[in-house]
Amino acid sequence: MKILMVLTSHDQLGNTGRKTGFWLEEFAAPYYVFMDAGVELTLASPKGGQPPLDPKSDLAENQTPAMTRFKQDEKAKKALSQTTKLSDVKAEDFDTVFYPGGHGPMWDLAESRDSIKLLETFYNSGKPIALVCHSPGVLRHVTYKGEPLVKDKRVTGFSNSEEAAVQLTKVVPFLVEDELKRLGAYFEKAPDWQSFVIVDGCLITGQNPASSTAAAQALLKVLSNQKS
């Protein structure tokens, strides 16, 4: 089984002068779900190389077992530092794709022609796509049969109340919850910071960092059901 993970290359948090990037738990937890399942994993980002880490994701209060494991894993750190350039990857080479979140994807991956084409190719081929936290917002320009891919689909993602809790409502280019609703999706959410994942056919979405493990597990389950 071959899985592609797509991370952001964007490191500026709007006009705040603060740094952003990918959220470490949302990479580390799925990474080990996949590796422990014996998956062949490829990491990619728009610019290639080392993707920027959101420094807030590595604060003491945000530490998780997967993050601890990652920091002691030289092979994983090397893989992360050498991501493939997104324009060089082809959906045909993989069974599925997983997008970790963090605020970074809202700026680059949401507008990336390479990302849009990649997601559309996966989905049109009947291959599942999975996105967690802010990454469901990456679907804003992705279409299926001429309509927004998320139209009439059950989805989740980082909620308006969670964005308000981190005081970035006015900083982000759009709100994930509002954008998905605008596109015609049926947006559902759990209480803030609780694990919550929705599977609607080949579309898997997770609400927040706490949903990262469950989203990756849900993706493996969809894949195994397809193959059985």
Side-chain angles (χ1 to χ4, degrees):
M1 195 183 295
K2 295 182 177 179
I3 296 182
L4 176 68
M5 284 182 85
V6 178
L7 296 108
T8 183
S9 293
H10 185 86
D11 69 352
Q12 295 297 315
L13 189 61
N15 299 319
T16 63
R18 286 181 278 160
K19 292 290 188 184
T20 190
F22 74 93
W23 200 260
L24 187 51
E25 166 69 2
E26 295 169 32
F27 164 74
Y31 179 88
Y32 287 114
V33 169
F34 299 145
M35 294 302 281
D36 292 347
V39 163
E40 190 178 323
L41 200 55
T42 298
L43 309 180
S45 63
K47 294 181 180 176
Q50 175 72 53
L53 172 69
D54 187 321
K56 290 196 87 167
S57 71
D58 202 18
L59 293 176
E61 63 265 28
N62 293 326
Q63 298 303 309
T64 65
M67 288 165 61
T68 302
R69 182 176 171 187
F70 172 74
K71 289 174 191 177
Q72 297 165 351
D73 186 339
E74 294 306 320
K75 188 177 175 185
K77 286 191 280 190
K78 184 178 179 184
L80 182 64
S81 73
Q82 299 175 344
T83 66
T84 302
K85 208 169 178 184
L86 191 58
S87 56
D88 292 338
V89 298
K90 295 183 175 67
E92 304 86 74
D93 296 337
F94 302 95
D95 297 300
T96 186
V97 63
F98 187 98
Y99 277 64
H103 284 89
M106 302 181 75
W107 277 275
D108 63 350
L109 291 170
E111 308 301 328
S112 161
R113 288 172 186 257
D114 292 321
S115 176
I116 293 163
K117 182 185 173 190
L118 194 74
L119 287 163
E120 289 177 347
T121 305
F122 271 106
Y123 200 80
N124 286 332
S125 307
K127 295 176 179 178
I129 59 175
L131 311 96
V132 70
C133 200
H134 285 89
S135 276
V138 169
L139 297 169
R140 67 187 309 208
H141 300 305
V142 178
T143 59
Y144 177 65
K145 295 184 175 177
E147 300 265 26
L149 185 147
V150 298
K151 188 179 178 188
D152 298 328
K153 300 270 195 326
R154 293 175 59 232
V155 299
T156 189
F158 204 62
S159 66
N160 288 354
S161 55
E162 286 169 323
E163 202 67 83
V166 296
Q167 300 181 328
L168 292 174
T169 302
K170 302 285 191 231
V171 173
V172 291
F174 59 91
L175 293 169
V176 174
E177 178 178 337
D178 286 355
E179 185 68 3
L180 292 171
K181 287 176 179 174
R182 184 186 72 79
L183 294 166
Y186 300 115
F187 189 90
E188 301 174 29
K189 56 188 173 183
D192 290 2
W193 318 117
Q194 301 300 304
S195 175
F196 185 61
V197 174
I198 290 179
V199 178
D200 189 333
C202 285
L203 177 61
I204 298 130
T205 48
Q207 180 173 329
N208 48 33
S211 312
S212 305
T213 297
Q217 290 168 337
L219 178 58
L220 289 182
K221 189 175 179 184
V222 170
L223 275 173
S224 65
N225 289 343
Q226 281 190 343
K227 292 185 183 300
S228 60

